[in-house]
């Protein structure tokens, strides 16, 4: 049923976003990639995925911290594909510091990239979804949208905010064919987490395997990373017809973290 639909996935040149883009393309969905990186590497990711799946795969280099660039991203996808049926707000960054030492520019960047970009993208995509009476908005949040950890004030604030936005949008469009949900993964091994493993190994003078078990996965009862494919499969499920009554939810996929 997703064949010939079209999607925008913000922050999809790496990690979870690219995994979701791959799964959508394999389900027959045209995909607009977005995000930073080496131009030749991004072009190879784009062309390989297009060749493998036969759908249109494009890349737009918008910086989603800038409202006008978010609108340009949604507009470019609507122009190229004729519609934006599926919006995955996935772009995100992390910075770890005590709140009284947290750099103002990092605070602002995290709010802009995670929460403000979600608002601007939803605002731009929603009129087209309403006109077609069908849409799927998925905010890639985090277990940190449901519970906090120390030293992640900006990230935890932005992720909790994304869940508030998810619920509000879901209520506003509840009588239409549009749903809006948040996916809340625990730790997934991506470049964003590799950076934290590296920093913690240095800070605690511990080998990587001990940092992973004793520091990174300390709160994750399964003691294993969530896999990108698991997050992508949940996204595909939420896009399907069987999920049409699931809206306004924040679904943990966290190895039991938020069951504590
Ligand atoms: P990642 O670092 O692998 O990928 C982040 C992507 O966002 C990249 O494509 C990057 O280019 C893009 N990006 C960053 N700033 C951008 C900007 N200003 N404009 C456009 N694109 C930008 O990270 P990831 O781990 O795959 O994380 C993806 C999402 O999942 C984030 O929202 C993150 O908070 C969330 N998440 C990650 C984990 C985890 O453990 N990795 C867990 C829960 C939630």
């Amino acid at each position: 049923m997703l064949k010939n639909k079209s999607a925008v996935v913000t922050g999809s040149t790496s990690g979870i976003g690219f995994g979701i883009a791959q799964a959508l393309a394999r389900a027959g969905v045209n995909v607009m990639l977005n995000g930073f990186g080496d131009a030749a590497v991004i072009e190879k990711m784009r062309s390989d995925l297009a060749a493998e799946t036969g759908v249109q795969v494009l890349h737009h280099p918008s910086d989603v911290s800038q409202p006008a660039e978010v609108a340009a991203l949604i507009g470019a996808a609507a122009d190229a594909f004729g519609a934006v049926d599926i919006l995955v707000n996935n772009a995100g960054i992390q910075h770890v510091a005590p709140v009284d030492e947290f750099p103002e520019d990092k605070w602002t960047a995290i709010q802009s990239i995670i929460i403000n970009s979600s608002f601007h993208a939803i605002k731009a995509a929603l009129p087209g979804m309403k006109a077609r009476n069908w849409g799927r908005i998925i905010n890639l949040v985090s277990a940190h949208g449901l519970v906090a950890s120390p030293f992640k004030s900006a990230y935890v604030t932005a992720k909790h905010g994304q869940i508030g936005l998810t619920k509000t949008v879901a209520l506003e469009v509840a009588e239409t064919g549009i749903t809006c949900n948040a996916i809340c993964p625990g730790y997934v091994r991506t470049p964003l987490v590799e950076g934290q493993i590296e920093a913690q190994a240095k800070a605690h003078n511990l080998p990587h395997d001990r940092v992973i078990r004793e520091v990174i996965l300390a709160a994750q009862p399964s003691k294993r990373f969530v896999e990108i494919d698991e997050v992508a499969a949940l996204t595909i499920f939420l896009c399907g017809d069987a999920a049409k009554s699931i809206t306004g939810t924040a679904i943990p996929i966290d190895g039991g973290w938020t069951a504590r």
Side-chain angles (χ1 to χ4, degrees):
M1 81 158 279
L2 295 179
K3 227 171 164 37
N4 300 322
K5 300 255 188 250
S6 299
V8 172
V9 185
T10 69
S12 48
T13 52
S14 171
I16 296 169
F18 188 60
I20 290 173
Q22 285 177 307
L24 286 167
R26 287 170 187 152
V29 177
N30 297 316
V31 181
M32 179 65 84
L33 302 173
N34 157 256
F36 303 144
D38 181 276
V41 173
I42 294 173
E43 175 49 25
K44 184 159 172 28
M45 291 163 84
R46 187 205 68 73
S47 55
D48 284 355
L49 189 56
E52 177 203 324
T53 59
V55 300
Q56 291 186 70
V57 183
L58 303 174
H59 171 256
H60 197 279
S62 276
D63 174 348
V64 298
S65 71
Q66 305 301 313
E69 294 194 34
V70 179
L73 167 66
I74 301 298
D79 287 349
F81 304 141
V84 175
D85 304 298
I86 298 165
L87 170 64
V88 184
N89 286 310
N90 168 80
I93 59 166
Q94 178 62 283
H95 186 80
V96 180
V99 68
D100 51 339
E101 293 169 19
F102 212 92
E104 272 87 3
D105 61 335
K106 295 285 186 205
W107 174 277
T108 304
I110 288 173
Q111 305 312 321
S112 302
I113 292 168
I114 292 176
I115 184 72
N116 295 350
S117 80
S118 300
F119 158 68
H120 292 296
I122 291 169
K123 184 173 179 185
L126 209 43
M129 291 179 180
K130 283 181 175 171
R132 289 181 298 279
N133 197 35
W134 197 91
R136 294 288 187 266
I137 300 168
I138 293 165
N139 296 318
L140 214 298
V141 182
S142 168
H144 281 124
L146 299 165
V147 294
S149 294
F151 313 123
K152 295 184 174 174
S153 55
Y155 187 83
V156 169
T157 301
K159 293 295 185 184
H160 275 67
Q162 267 186 316
I163 292 182
L165 179 64
T166 302
K167 291 178 181 176
T168 308
V169 172
L171 291 179
E172 290 186 18
V173 298
E175 291 188 41
T176 72
I178 305 165
T179 67
C180 181
N181 290 288
I183 293 181
C184 301
Y187 280 101
V188 185
R189 196 159 187 175
T190 68
L192 184 135
V193 167
E194 292 293 349
Q196 293 177 54
I197 297 171
E198 213 46 63
Q200 294 292 330
K202 272 200 194 120
H204 298 279
N205 197 21
L206 285 174
H208 284 199
D209 55 338
R210 283 194 59 197
V211 168
I212 289 168
R213 196 173 165 82
E214 295 168 26
V215 183
I216 302 286
L217 296 182
Q220 196 152 302
S222 60
K223 297 292 174 202
R224 64 170 182 79
F225 286 102
V226 177
E227 285 165 24
I228 290 174
D229 285 354
E230 298 172 68
V231 181
L234 178 55
T235 305
I236 297 296
F237 174 72
L238 287 173
C239 288
D241 204 43
K244 66 176 181 291
S245 301
I246 300 178
T247 194
T249 68
I251 304 177
I253 173 165
D254 65 4
W257 179 346
T258 53
R260 285 179 191 276

